[in-house]
Amino acid sequence: METTFETMMLPHLDAAHNLAKWLLRNEQDAQDVVQEAFLRAFKSFGGFHGSNGRAWLLTIVRNTSYTLLRKNRVADLTTPFDEEIHRPGEQPVSAATILERSEDAEIIREAMDKLPVEFQEILILRHQEDLSYKEIADIAQIPPGTVMSRLARARSKLKENLGARINRER
């Protein structure tokens, strides 16, 4: 049975958008990059012989995002983006819970914004997209050992940023 582009790539549309949004910090740019990445993936799909379409597509999204960042010479990556508070299928929650989640998400987002982009990328791919070290290594084009050490440093720095924020608020 032949695998089509749609069956192989469309299930990864949300992951592609999530990565682009975190890297670019701009909804319109993220949509443009995902569209461009899907177009590039479609054009190259005949040459794709791997089994991990998700990693392949996220590599294209990552490279397209960095190309746009370099082209625009974006120095300030701290423009916040709206993160959904509700997930499909969740039970209704109280206004207090929504506010608490929103505040927690904002605190984490602010701490993440202070991290270098390569740390943000590793954290997003590992914890939001639940990719393996090998998949992250393939996407970021770095050795798996570098993924592990960069992830450890990113977690440590994030913890430090969150600790500093908590201490500041006391």
Side-chain angles (χ1 to χ4, degrees):
M1 183 171 126
E2 187 177 322
T3 303
T4 65
F5 176 80
E6 290 82 7
T7 59
M8 184 72 133
M9 296 299 136
L10 285 182
H12 310 302
L13 180 61
D14 288 343
H17 183 260
N18 187 41
L19 178 61
K21 199 156 88 168
W22 267 101
L23 292 175
L24 299 168
R25 300 299 175 160
N26 179 293
E27 178 62 34
Q28 187 59 53
D29 287 347
Q31 289 177 11
D32 292 347
V33 160
V34 169
Q35 185 175 0
E36 175 69 21
F38 264 83
L39 183 60
R40 288 180 183 185
F42 181 75
K43 287 179 179 177
S44 303
F45 190 69
F48 174 69
H49 301 295
S51 60
N52 192 341
R54 182 179 185 189
W56 184 66
L57 178 63
L58 290 179
T59 301
I60 296 170
V61 169
R62 176 187 183 269
N63 292 341
T64 306
S65 295
Y66 282 135
T67 298
L68 179 66
L69 288 171
R70 276 192 301 276
K71 183 177 136 193
N72 293 339
R73 300 195 189 289
V74 176
D76 181 15
L77 300 176
T78 60
T79 304
F81 69 93
D82 293 331
E83 186 171 315
E84 291 180 40
I85 294 171
H86 292 94
R87 302 263 184 246
E90 275 194 8
Q91 298 297 319
V93 293
S94 70
T97 302
I98 291 171
L99 182 60
E100 183 179 300
R101 284 185 189 173
S102 175
E103 288 171 358
D104 289 348
E106 184 61 28
I107 290 168
I108 293 169
R109 209 173 10 258
E110 287 173 9
M112 289 270 299
D113 284 343
K114 292 178 181 173
L115 297 175
V117 174
E118 62 271 12
F119 284 2
Q120 292 178 26
E121 174 183 67
I122 295 291
L123 287 168
I124 296 305
L125 292 173
R126 181 70 182 138
H127 294 292
Q128 285 197 338
E129 298 306 326
D130 202 30
L131 295 175
S132 70
Y133 295 136
K134 181 175 180 348
E135 289 170 321
I136 295 169
D138 291 345
I139 291 167
Q141 300 166 355
I142 56 177
T146 303
V147 170
M148 290 184 271
S149 64
R150 195 174 284 176
L151 185 58
R153 290 193 322 255
R155 287 173 177 156
S156 174
K157 189 69 178 158
L158 181 62
K159 184 178 176 182
E160 181 183 310
N161 290 351
L162 288 169
R165 166 78 186 253
I166 290 166
N167 289 336
R168 220 177 30 244
E169 291 179 358
R170 286 186 178 164

